[in-house]
Structure formats: structure tokens, C-alpha cells
Amino acid sequence: MECENMVDTEATMALFHQVVRGEEVLVRERMAKPIPTQQLMVLAFIVAHPGVIQRNIVDLIGRKAATVSVMLKNMEKQGLITRQIPSDNSRNKKIFVTDEGRKLTERFKETRQQVHEEMLANLSTDERQELRQLVAKIKIPD
């Protein structure tokens, strides 16, 4: 019985991973400008929180500060963000999204919504609600 539960658990988590990974791949393929999904998520975060500092992004995505710094430099070179040094604190640059970054973020949101609708198209309203309830029960261990 224990072996059967383990197989079921593995199959369930593999399917869950396949859905999450599939969403990521579809969104990336459909974006007009090739950009890593993590950068798109960071852009969306900055749009929602203009003037954030790098530390906020480190906390959000759980990466090392050096990794985030390289990502932000690349995004700045691409014209997606700007970093401004406030007069009261030269160590913490505030990060803002440019017009190009904002347009890309909107495209990302639209594309992601379309992909989600396609992925859920075979589910009825009741099935979608049931899926939400089941997924909400999944516990991430501390």
C-alpha cells in the first residue's frame, strides 16, 4: 500500500509540474520579445511596486543579490527598467519600469491570460472551482 501511495504521489506531482512548466513554455513561446519568465515576473512586480529596491526583488524571487543585480543590469540595458539614486540614500537605488517595460508587461499579462484560458478550456465552471479548492489544499513545507 505504501508503494502504491508513493507512485500516486509521484504521478500527481509530475502532472502538476507538467502543467506549471507547460504554462511557462507556452507563454514564453508566444511573447513577441524573448525574455526569461523570471524577468517578466520581476517587471510585473516593479509595475505594481514602483520604486522598489533590489533587496525587495531578492526577497521576492529567492535568488542571491549578485544574481538579481546581473538580471537588473541586463533589464536596464534592454531599456525595460531604470534605476534612480534617491538623494537621501545613495546605496539603495529605486527601480522603475520604462514605457517599453510597461508595454512588455501588459503583453505578458495578456498572453498569460490567453494561455490560462486555453489550458482550462476543457473544464466546466464547477471543475475549475473544484481544481482551485484542491490546489489550495497543497501545503508547501516550511
Side-chain angles (χ1 to χ4, degrees), residues 72-91:
L72 293 174
K73 282 180 187 173
N74 288 336
M75 292 169 71
E76 194 169 27
K77 284 179 188 174
Q78 294 173 45
L80 302 175
I81 63 166
T82 61
R83 294 189 279 182
Q84 300 173 4
I85 301 171
S87 59
D88 62 336
N89 186 344
S90 62
R91 294 193 65 198

Side-chain angles (χ1 to χ4, degrees), residues 41-55:
M41 299 298 262
V42 168
L43 270 177
F45 180 75
I46 299 168
V47 167
H49 304 91
V52 298
I53 59 173
Q54 180 175 318
R55 179 88 222 145

Side-chain angles (χ1 to χ4, degrees), residues 27-77:
V27 169
R28 190 175 335 115
E29 286 175 355
R30 293 180 184 183
M31 289 295 296
K33 182 175 184 173
I35 181 169
T37 304
Q38 194 164 53
Q39 286 186 19
L40 290 166
M41 299 298 262
V42 168
L43 270 177
F45 180 75
I46 299 168
V47 167
H49 304 91
V52 298
I53 59 173
Q54 180 175 318
R55 179 88 222 145
N56 300 127
I57 296 168
V58 167
D59 293 342
L60 172 74
I61 64 174
R63 301 277 189 212
K64 293 180 182 176
T67 302
V68 172
S69 181
V70 169
M71 178 194 304
L72 293 174
K73 282 180 187 173
N74 288 336
M75 292 169 71
E76 194 169 27
K77 284 179 188 174

Side-chain angles (χ1 to χ4, degrees), residues 89-137:
N89 186 344
S90 62
R91 294 193 65 198
N92 289 326
K93 294 178 183 175
K94 293 188 174 196
I95 305 165
F96 299 91
V97 175
T98 64
D99 287 340
E100 184 177 342
R102 193 172 312 284
K103 289 175 191 171
L104 186 63
T105 303
E106 284 304 313
R107 175 78 178 121
F108 169 63
K109 287 179 184 178
E110 290 168 6
T111 302
R112 198 167 180 220
Q113 182 62 36
Q114 290 169 353
V115 166
H116 291 171
E117 286 302 321
E118 289 174 29
M119 290 175 73
L120 298 172
N122 292 333
L123 299 178
S124 69
T125 303
D126 289 343
E127 288 170 329
R128 288 182 187 205
Q129 183 176 353
E130 182 179 357
L131 178 62
R132 253 191 324 275
Q133 291 169 343
L134 291 171
V135 171
K137 287 183 175 184

